[in-house]
Amino acid sequence: MGSRFFLAFFLVLLVLGKEVQGTQEDDPGSPALLDTVQESLLSYWSTAKAAAQGLYHKTYPSSVDEKLRDMYSKSSAAMSTYAGIFTDQLLTLLKGE
């Protein structure tokens, strides 16, 4: 479905581009239709992006972030402990004590 949407979108842009070329030949002083469409699409995109970021920051629970940080600190402490044990065992094996 996504590829069909992009294909249709690019076809619309192609048609608009051809129409703009035709209108520029008739009246070179008028603003290009493609530029106007592009500016409006960019403004819609930035508005939607800001709204999505606002929703994300409202709904993202801080407790999840705290849990992830706690889990990372505990797992990194455990890994450093097990790495130290493994290193001691390896050195003991290599030294032959």
Side-chain angles (χ1 to χ4, degrees):
M1 169 140 181
S3 62
R4 288 183 184 175
F5 172 74
F6 285 119
L7 180 63
F9 180 71
F10 286 124
L11 286 176
V12 167
L13 286 180
L14 182 64
V15 169
L16 288 175
K18 292 295 181 182
E19 184 177 329
V20 167
Q21 286 177 354
T23 58
Q24 283 180 350
E25 291 172 359
D26 298 338
D27 186 17
S30 67
L33 178 65
L34 187 59
D35 290 337
T36 309
V37 169
Q38 187 178 21
E39 288 175 8
S40 65
L41 286 175
L42 287 175
S43 69
Y44 289 142
W45 175 256
S46 63
T47 305
K49 183 179 174 183
Q53 285 177 344
L55 282 173
Y56 174 75
H57 289 297
K58 282 183 187 177
T59 59
Y60 186 72
S62 61
S63 62
V64 172
D65 191 35
E66 291 172 6
K67 287 179 184 177
L68 288 174
R69 288 176 193 229
D70 185 48
M71 189 184 327
Y72 175 76
S73 65
K74 286 181 180 178
S75 63
S76 62
M79 286 303 294
S80 63
T81 302
Y82 288 124
I85 292 171
F86 178 73
T87 305
D88 288 343
Q89 292 293 322
L90 187 64
L91 289 175
T92 303
L93 182 70
L94 291 176
K95 279 187 174 180
E97 292 180 4

